[in-house]
Amino acid sequence: MAVTIGVPFEAFRFQSQFNYIATPGKKDLLSLSYADYAWKSGVWRLLDLLDRFGAKASMATNGQAAETHPNIVRTFVEEGHEVMGHGWVNDVYIKDAGEEAEREEIRRCTQVLTEASGGVAPVGWTSPGSTGSDHTIRLLKEEGYIWNGDDLSDDLPFVVESGAGPFVMMPRQSLATNDITHWVFSRNPPSVMWEGFKDTFDALYAEAKEGGARSIDITLHAHMAGRPTLIPAIERMLSYALEHEGVYFTRKCDIARWTLDKHAAA
């Protein structure tokens, strides 16, 4: 059974996920400062935590974040984490701008992420808000990607025909283990994330013991989960997973490649 960890490293143009009074089209400086916590403190605390557990994560990285902080993206790669595309900024969606605008954004992000990573091109993509368009999968395939995470339809990854060849959809499995929904927006105590993880893990592990692959996601935003309040709950999740035989941490790109190999051999 695999545990995958996603750590969004995001940039915002107008406001992040924290605001009291927001004016459409105007910058909310307090909200943007909330997001700045990621590159100042949060991402480093999470990297230290992952290192203690020997866990490799998939870092959903906005293009602007990579352009502004290439040293952090290079650190992701040097420490063995996956850098994946996540749009240019997280509070501007490109899905309704048309096919060519979407392709241009994918190419722009790919170039910046590849340069910041020291030549390692991303192979995975999750749109801001997981909101892709009818063109997204085909465009990603044409631009060299192998997987996309804009999906909630299943427990395990599956292969679709993109219009340009086989392509892996990686359903988001973190409905109960996502800091933004279970801690920040809902104003729950951190223990709620631990409880959601344990219950989900136990159910999936019981299924895995009956045969077949199972995996669980943990989604941790660097400017949220990177704050000291949530760290003990995350440590508890990772420790609990490792208490079970046959459990390992992996990256989404590794699961996607496994899925493609299995599909080709079928």
Side-chain angles (χ1 to χ4, degrees), residues 61-64 85-90 92 105 109 113 125-128:
T61 307
N62 295 139
Q64 183 173 290
H86 196 38
W88 187 251
V89 291
N90 217 57
V92 178
E105 173 150 314
C109 292
L113 292 175
W125 178 283
T126 297
S127 304

Side-chain angles (χ1 to χ4, degrees), residues 97-110:
E99 179 176 346
E100 290 311 308
E102 186 174 2
R103 184 190 298 276
E104 179 58 32
E105 173 150 314
I106 291 171
R107 287 180 173 175
R108 183 186 184 192
C109 292
T110 303

Side-chain angles (χ1 to χ4, degrees), residues 25 44 46 60 72 82 108 120 126 150 164 171 176 180 205 211 229 255:
W44 305 112
L46 288 174
I72 296 179
E82 174 187 14
R108 183 186 184 192
V120 180
T126 297
D150 301 339
I180 192 172
Y205 191 76
T229 309
I255 295 179

Side-chain angles (χ1 to χ4, degrees), residues 95-96 102 125 127-137 148 150:
K95 64 174 184 172
D96 297 323
E102 186 174 2
W125 178 283
S127 304
S130 298
T131 58
S133 74
D134 291 337
H135 311 294
T136 302
I137 297 171
N148 173 255
D150 301 339

Side-chain angles (χ1 to χ4, degrees), residues 62-224:
N62 295 139
Q64 183 173 290
E67 184 178 64
T68 307
H69 306 287
N71 62 309
I72 296 179
V73 178
R74 180 68 68 91
T75 299
F76 292 161
V77 174
E78 290 176 348
E79 296 193 1
H81 303 291
E82 174 187 14
V83 175
M84 48 181 274
H86 196 38
W88 187 251
V89 291
N90 217 57
D91 57 338
V92 178
Y93 297 166
I94 199 70
K95 64 174 184 172
D96 297 323
E99 179 176 346
E100 290 311 308
E102 186 174 2
R103 184 190 298 276
E104 179 58 32
E105 173 150 314
I106 291 171
R107 287 180 173 175
R108 183 186 184 192
C109 292
T110 303
Q111 180 180 348
V112 170
L113 292 175
T114 302
E115 291 174 354
S117 298
V120 180
V123 298
W125 178 283
T126 297
S127 304
S130 298
T131 58
S133 74
D134 291 337
H135 311 294
T136 302
I137 297 171
R138 175 176 53 81
L139 293 175
L140 289 172
K141 176 69 176 182
E142 291 173 350
E143 298 301 322
Y145 288 78
I146 66 171
W147 73 265
N148 173 255
D150 301 339
D151 187 271
L152 291 169
S153 70
D154 209 339
D155 292 319
L156 293 172
F158 55 93
V159 175
V160 297
E161 175 51 53
S162 67
F167 192 82
V168 178
M169 297 303 297
M170 297 282 290
R172 296 188 63 174
Q173 303 165 315
S174 60
L175 293 182
T177 53
N178 187 323
D179 56 5
I180 192 172
T181 56
H182 275 64
W183 180 44
V184 176
F185 283 178
S186 58
R187 300 182 181 180
N188 287 319
S191 59
V192 170
M193 267 194 71
W194 151 247
E195 293 164 1
F197 175 85
K198 182 181 183 301
D199 289 347
T200 306
F201 180 95
D202 288 346
L204 291 172
Y205 191 76
E207 293 177 3
K209 289 175 68 176
E210 297 298 320
R214 291 293 185 272
S215 66
I216 184 172
D217 283 353
I218 305 173
T219 298
L220 307 170
H221 295 77
H223 59 295
M224 297 178 183

Side-chain angles (χ1 to χ4, degrees), residues 11-15 26-28 32 64 88-92 108:
F12 300 87
R13 185 174 300 172
F14 300 110
Q15 63 184 47
K26 300 291 185 180
K27 288 185 176 181
D28 183 335
L32 294 176
Q64 183 173 290
W88 187 251
V89 291
N90 217 57
D91 57 338
V92 178
R108 183 186 184 192

